[in-house]
Amino acid sequence: MADDRNRRPMGRGLSALMADVGVAADDVDPVSDRVLPIERLHPNPNQPRRQFDEDALADLAKSVSQKGVLQPLIVRPSKETSGSYEIVAGERRWRAAQAASLHELPVIIRDFTDGEVLEVAIVENIQRSDLTPLEEAAGYRHLMDRFGHTQEQVSEILGKSRSHVANLLRLLSLPEKVRDHLSAGRITAGHARALLTSPDAERLVEVVVRKGLSVRDTEALAKDSKPSKPGKRTAASPAKDADTRALEGDLSAVLGMRVGIDHRPDGGGGKLSIQYKSLDDLDNLCRLLSEGIERN
């Protein structure tokens, strides 16, 4: 689509995008809004939506057979066949009308460019109620990459808050395993957002799914898994036994410096630390160690 910075501002919803490309509600051309035989309509071959839920189509067909098609389809003249029209928005209604054995449909005819057709199709798909969060996010990304829209413009087109758009777009950066669980519905978008900043998200998501953790529990799990900052202890040290404390006291008295002893829980080793307060203390410590080495 041509980059026209002087176009009318985008409003809310699919009708807003129509207004943005020239189909405003107050700009109806009686000659271009009519009823057409269903056989003169055909789908857009570049329609990004490839799958249609059969049960949902059956429900829509039942409604259409009872009430008819209340919302006109948006179409444009076919480039291939004279007298035929390509569906820009409303393919589900066209399919349901066929299932309901309708012979004609209300349409609004507009002369859209190929870019405008694709944009309208993407927006219409994003507004579906059965999209997963990742599918919705992918639609936002497609609008931004293909047409140069900003997050703010996408939010205006779709009637969503900017924070909603930004939060969904962040889901696209999740590791593949987390995205798989989200797509399958085993976790929610809230769970996924809680794992966004964790460097161990793929392992944690398995814990979340296995234990059925809540979003709040997932947030706590992700927070606990983050590396602690230097000098910041994440948990209290286990209590030391009396023998260890006595040995620390004896060594501290001999060296004149604070000594700490930490055994590993498995008993296979540990750490001995000596704190000195000045360079003189360090010199004395080095002298004592050197003298001990020389005697041995």
Side-chain angles (χ1 to χ4, degrees):
M1 188 187 330
D3 184 11
D4 184 356
R5 303 300 181 185
N6 295 318
R7 294 187 301 177
R8 281 173 287 184
M10 289 175 281
R12 303 177 72 84
L14 182 59
S15 61
L17 179 60
M18 298 303 184
D20 195 41
V21 294
V23 185
D26 57 355
D27 186 28
V28 176
D29 178 0
V31 177
S32 299
D33 300 278
R34 64 177 83 170
V35 174
L36 287 177
I38 199 167
E39 63 269 15
R40 291 173 62 183
L41 306 175
H42 62 83
N44 168 17
N46 297 316
Q47 159 72 267
R49 182 179 185 180
R50 300 299 182 185
Q51 301 295 326
F52 292 85
D53 184 87
E54 294 298 329
D55 292 337
L57 274 178
D59 291 340
L60 182 57
K62 182 177 180 180
S63 174
V64 164
S65 65
Q66 296 173 348
K67 304 176 183 179
V69 176
L70 303 180
Q71 182 180 1
L73 282 67
I74 309 297
V75 302
R76 69 169 179 171
S78 172
K79 295 180 179 180
E80 307 296 332
T81 307
S82 177
S84 293
Y85 296 85
E86 180 181 297
I87 299 171
V88 175
E91 184 174 339
R92 286 184 70 253
R93 278 164 278 155
W94 175 75
R95 290 175 179 268
Q98 287 181 310
S101 300
L102 298 189
H103 300 292
E104 55 186 20
L105 291 173
V107 300
I108 297 174
I109 303 172
R110 292 293 184 267
D111 190 19
F112 286 141
T113 66
D114 290 342
E116 289 167 343
V117 169
L118 179 59
E119 188 172 13
V120 171
I122 293 171
V123 170
E124 186 186 34
N125 287 335
I126 292 174
Q127 291 187 320
R128 288 161 46 199
S129 60
D130 60 340
L131 286 181
T132 68
L134 283 175
E135 288 172 333
E136 188 176 346
Y140 295 165
R141 174 54 61 192
H142 198 166
L143 279 176
M144 295 172 68
D145 292 346
R146 176 65 175 80
F147 302 103
H149 290 322
T150 63
Q151 289 187 18
E152 184 174 1
Q153 288 173 325
V154 169
S155 69
E156 290 175 354
I157 290 172
L158 295 164
K160 306 284 187 179
S161 69
R162 186 171 181 179
S163 61
H164 174 83
V165 173
N167 284 333
L168 280 188
L169 285 170
R170 292 173 65 207
L171 298 180
L172 298 176
S173 64
L174 286 164
E176 182 177 1
K177 184 180 291 186
V178 181
R179 285 185 276 119
D180 288 344
H181 282 300
L182 179 57
S183 295
R186 290 186 285 269
I187 62 173
T188 67
H191 290 98
R193 284 194 295 271
L195 297 173
L196 271 169
T197 58
S198 172
D200 201 16
E202 290 191 320
R203 181 184 66 82
L204 295 183
V205 73
E206 299 297 339
V207 177
V208 171
V209 172
R210 184 175 68 253
K211 295 186 176 181
L213 298 182
S214 67
V215 172
R216 180 170 294 181
D217 289 338
T218 303
E219 291 172 346
L221 181 67
K223 183 178 180 180
D224 290 342
S225 72
K226 292 180 182 179
S228 59
K229 295 181 180 180
K232 184 177 180 181
R233 301 178 67 182
T234 57
S237 300
K240 295 179 181 179
D241 56 64
D243 289 338
T244 300
R245 292 198 303 271
L247 184 56
E248 285 178 342
D250 290 341
L251 289 173
S252 296
V254 170
L255 297 175
M257 305 172 201
R258 184 173 180 180
V259 175
I261 299 174
D262 295 293
H263 295 299
R264 288 208 305 262
D266 60 5
K271 179 178 67 174
L272 184 146
S273 60
I274 303 173
Q275 298 182 24
Y276 58 88
K277 297 180 179 179
S278 66
L279 291 178
D280 288 338
D281 284 345
L282 180 58
D283 287 338
N284 288 333
L285 176 61
C286 291
R287 178 179 53 79
L288 290 172
L289 291 173
S290 297
E291 290 175 353
I293 294 173
E294 290 172 0
R295 283 196 296 268
N296 292 332

